[in-house]
Amino acid sequence: MYFNLKTGFWTTEQQSSSFIPLPRCDSGYGNQLAKRLDKRGMRVLATCLTVQGAENLKKETSSRLQTVILDIADSNSVQSAAKWVSDVLHEKDVCNMEKIFLSLCNTDLTPVTDCMEHALTAVYPKTRYSAGWDAKLFFIPISYIPTVLVDCLLTWSALPPAH
């Protein structure tokens, strides 16, 4: 394990030998994160909804990134993707993406992918990530309030359901 001064992340040998599964890599957060992790030398299993999205991603990345078409609404697509993943992995470790907080209100994807990258690669990941001011000022503070109170606060000014 060593500390990379340029990125500010601790790096281990496991990161370059493990696969990181990423959903929805056609565009947006998944696409940007897949490219960044590939540049860091990590092996990425990227799922895409369209063939065009998968081909575009392959053109912009190295051979460490592998793509598969996955439409979760189609059971055949899910089964073939699951078989593909098990064939590729050969029972190797898979890094799990958890505890990632995504901010959907900001059009700049960089803060979100920074948080996702840190959650995936840090030796000591944070329990909560705040990507943007909406997360810092609203979503993170509200996550500390009991659910019953949050429901009351959010539905207090809401319109009643239509009959």
Side-chain angles (χ1 to χ4, degrees):
M1 178 176 6
Y2 61 92
F3 187 74
N4 185 333
L5 292 174
K6 182 179 176 187
T7 63
F9 295 114
W10 286 96
T11 305
T12 64
E13 294 302 317
Q14 179 194 12
Q15 290 176 348
S16 60
S17 65
S18 296
F19 282 97
I20 299 174
L22 292 178
R24 298 180 177 181
C25 293
D26 294 275
S27 62
Y29 301 124
N31 184 281
Q32 193 175 38
L33 182 62
K35 291 175 190 175
R36 288 177 66 169
L37 294 177
D38 178 61
K39 284 180 185 174
R40 288 191 61 179
M42 298 179 165
R43 297 166 67 186
V44 178
L45 298 177
T47 64
C48 297
L49 184 60
T50 63
V51 174
Q52 182 183 5
E55 289 174 356
N56 290 341
L57 187 58
K58 281 184 181 180
K59 288 178 189 174
E60 299 176 28
T61 56
S62 73
S63 61
R64 289 183 301 272
L65 185 137
Q66 298 180 35
T67 62
V68 65
I69 306 301
L70 175 62
D71 180 4
I72 60 169
D74 179 13
S75 60
N76 291 334
S77 175
V78 173
Q79 288 176 353
S80 66
K83 183 183 179 325
W84 176 81
V85 169
S86 66
D87 290 345
V88 169
L89 291 182
H90 302 294
E91 299 186 25
K92 292 188 181 214
D93 273 345
V94 178
C95 294
N96 192 4
M97 291 192 327
E98 291 180 357
K99 301 176 185 174
I100 298 174
F101 186 84
L102 299 176
S103 170
L104 300 175
C105 299
N106 194 348
T107 57
D108 179 20
L109 303 180
T110 307
V112 177
T113 53
D114 286 345
C115 291
M116 293 171 75
E117 182 179 11
H118 186 270
L120 288 167
T121 60
V123 175
Y124 301 107
K126 300 174 184 177
T127 56
R128 288 187 169 94
Y129 289 87
S130 57
W133 288 107
D134 50 345
K136 287 178 177 66
L137 298 175
F138 182 73
F139 294 110
I140 294 294
I142 208 165
S143 72
Y144 288 102
I145 300 173
T147 306
V148 173
L149 295 177
V150 172
D151 290 344
C152 290
L153 288 171
L154 295 178
T155 59
W156 177 46
S157 63
L159 297 172
H163 293 15

